[in-house]
Amino acid sequence: MKDLDWGNLGFAYQKTDYRFVARYKDGAWDEGRLTTDESITMNESACVLQYAQTCFEGLKAYRTKDGHIVCFRPDLNAARMADSCRRMIMPVFPEDKFVDAVVQTVRANADWVPPFGSGATLYVRPFMFGADPILGVKPANEFEFRIFCTPVGPYFKGGVKPLTVRISDYDRAAPRGTGHIKAGLNYAMSLYAIVDAHEQGYDENMYPDAGTRTYLEETGGANILLITKDGKVVTPKSDSILPSITRRSLMFVAKEYLGLEVEERKVRIDELDQFAECGLCGTAAVISPVGKIVDHGREICYGMDKMGPITEKLYKTLVGIQMGEIEAPEGWIKRID
Ligand code: PLP
Ligand code: COI
C-alpha cells in the first residue's frame, strides 16, 4: 500500500500508476489496454476540444473490513454511460467490457486503494471523448474511452458538517436537454454558478427546473433527499436530473433495510420548509447533510450542528453495505481482489 496521509485527503486528482485506454476507429473498439502514460495527445480540432463531445462516470472502490477490494454497482455506471453515449452520438463501450475495464484498472492500482476505516476511497473516473479533427458541427469519427483512478477524501471540505446552499438564479439543464446524462457540457454550464456561489459564501447551488423555476431538481454534482417531519424519504422527480446510483440505492435501503416510506415526486421550492432534514447524495458526496437553504432571502433551516437522525441512519447503512460490514443486496458489490 502507498504511504499517503489517507485520513487527510481532499477530493483532488493525484496521478496513480495505471489507466485503461481503448480506441474506436473505423467503426469498432479495440481491446483496450492498461498504460502508465497519463497524457493524451490529440489534434487541435478534436471534436471534444471544439464542441465538447464527451461524457463521464464516477464510482468508487473500497477496501472492506476483511481486506478485500470491491466496487459498488459498476454495472449501473456502465448502463448510464451507455445512455450518455447514445445521447451524445458516441459509440457505446460494451457494458460488460466497461465493468471488466474498471476491474482491471482498480486491480492494477490496488496499492492506491485506501485502508479500511481511513475515511478515504479510490475514486474511479471512466470517460469518453470525440478524438479526431472535425470542423463543421458534427460528431467525431474516432473516440477514446479511458479510466483513471485517484484516492480521495470527502467531496465537501469539513466532511459531514452541514452545508449551506442557495437556490440558484442560473440554470443547469434545459427541459428536453442533457440534464439526465453525464455529459461534460452540463458541468461546464455549472462552473460560473459554482464560482459565484462560493464567492457569496455558499457550498453549492440547488437548481430549480429551468422551465418553470417552481420545482427543485438537483445540485451541480448530487441528487437531493428530503425527510418529512413524519420520517418519509422524498426525492425530486424530473426528466432533467441525473439518475443518481447513490440515490436509487438509498431509496432501496430506506424502504427495505430501514422500513421507511419512500416517495419520488415533484417537490416545490416553496414547500422546502415543510421538511425536517435534507441531504445531497452522490458517489462523491455520499450523503452530505444540508443545514440551510437560502432562497433569495428566505432561509430554510434544518440545523447546522449535525446530520439529521434519519439522514445519519441512511448514511451509516449505505456506507456499511459499501464497506462490507452490512450484508448487501444481491449484485451490489463487485469483488475485485
Ligand atoms: N447529479 C449529478 C449532476 C452528478 O454529477 C452526480 C455524480 O455522479 C450525481 C447526481 C450522483 O450520481 P451518482 O450517485 O450516480 O454518483
Ligand atoms: C460523482 O459523484 O461521481 C460526480 O461525478 C460528482 C462530481 C465530482 C462531478
Side-chain angles (χ1 to χ4, degrees):
M1 213 181 294
K2 300 283 169 184
D3 181 23
L4 299 184
D5 185 6
W6 301 107
N8 288 305
L9 292 176
F11 193 84
Y13 173 81
Q14 160 161 205
K15 185 188 164 187
T16 54
D17 296 330
Y18 294 96
R19 64 278 300 120
F20 180 87
V21 191
R23 185 90 184 179
Y24 182 91
K25 198 176 169 181
D26 301 327
W29 285 106
D30 67 17
E31 271 306 296
R33 64 194 171 90
L34 293 170
T35 169
T36 56
D37 186 0
E38 80 279 24
S39 296
I40 299 171
T41 302
M42 66 181 121
N43 186 276
E44 60 195 348
S45 197
C47 194
V48 60
L49 297 179
Q50 302 307 326
Y51 303 128
Q53 193 184 20
T54 177
C55 65
F56 66 100
E57 272 303 322
L59 68 158
K60 281 175 172 174
Y62 309 84
R63 206 178 285 273
T64 61
K65 201 170 190 174
D66 54 0
H68 295 294
I69 297 174
V70 300
C71 62
F72 186 68
R73 312 189 77 179
D75 51 322
L76 297 189
N77 295 94
R80 192 170 63 188
M81 183 134 185
D83 288 339
S84 296
C85 287
R86 285 186 279 263
R87 179 65 175 80
M88 295 298 291
I89 316 286
M90 300 202 280
V92 170
F93 192 75
E95 292 179 36
D96 54 336
K97 290 193 171 171
F98 174 106
V99 173
D100 182 58
V102 167
V103 169
Q104 282 186 51
T105 312
V106 173
R107 197 173 277 155
N109 293 292
D111 285 351
W112 295 91
V113 184
F116 174 80
S118 63
T121 51
L122 188 75
Y123 185 72
V124 182
R125 173 54 66 87
F127 63 110
M128 191 189 294
F129 55 90
D132 62 318
I134 44 92
L135 193 58
V137 178
K138 61 177 185 211
N141 304 294
E142 292 181 24
F143 296 84
E144 210 160 288
F145 170 66
R146 300 179 70 106
I147 305 176
F148 69 78
C149 51
T150 192
V152 297
Y155 187 64
F156 292 104
K157 276 200 231 75
V160 291
K161 200 173 102 326
L163 305 168
T164 302
V165 304
R166 69 170 183 192
I167 302 293
S168 177
D169 281 333
Y170 303 99
D171 294 326
R172 187 192 89 93
R176 299 170 292 280
T178 55
H180 60 300
I181 59 159
K182 215 159 158 58
L185 63 91
N186 295 333
Y187 301 82
M189 276 283 281
S190 75
L191 293 177
Y192 189 92
I194 192 73
V195 169
D196 188 58
H198 289 163
E199 279 172 8
Q200 310 286 329
Y202 300 103
D203 296 299
E204 248 294 8
N205 291 294
M206 279 185 171
Y207 294 97
D209 75 288
T212 71
R213 302 193 66 82
T214 306
Y215 300 100
L216 190 66
E217 298 232 299
E218 62 172 328
T219 69
N223 280 183
I224 298 168
L225 287 182
L226 295 147
I227 316 290
T228 63
K229 288 173 182 158
D230 56 0
K232 187 200 279 188
V233 184
V234 176
T235 191
K237 188 177 172 71
S238 158
D239 292 336
S240 49
I241 68 179
L242 192 77
S244 159
I245 293 161
T246 314
R247 185 253 299 163
R248 285 181 271 161
S249 303
L250 283 167
M251 295 300 270
F252 182 89
V253 162
K255 187 160 180 270
E256 304 297 334
Y257 281 60
L258 303 177
L260 300 170
E261 224 183 302
V262 297
E263 190 178 22
E264 186 180 357
R265 65 159 169 92
K266 287 187 159 197
V267 175
R268 288 194 328 276
I269 289 169
D270 68 11
E271 64 171 313
L272 285 175
D273 56 359
Q274 300 302 308
F275 293 93
E277 300 175 37
C278 178
L280 309 183
C281 64
T283 297
V286 193
I287 309 183
S288 303
V290 173
K292 182 158 76 175
I293 303 174
V294 179
D295 176 17
H296 305 91
R298 184 172 76 111
E299 294 199 348
I300 301 134
C301 295
Y302 302 109
M304 294 303 289
D305 299 339
K306 55 179 180 5
M307 202 182 254
I310 293 186
T311 309
E312 187 176 14
K313 264 194 209 162
L314 286 166
Y315 176 88
K316 287 196 165 149
T317 313
L318 180 72
V319 173
I321 290 170
Q322 291 170 331
M323 299 281 178
E325 294 172 292
I326 297 174
E327 191 173 347
E330 178 77 26
W332 280 26
I333 301 296
K334 174 86 185 163
R335 227 352 235 272
I336 289 182
D337 244 350

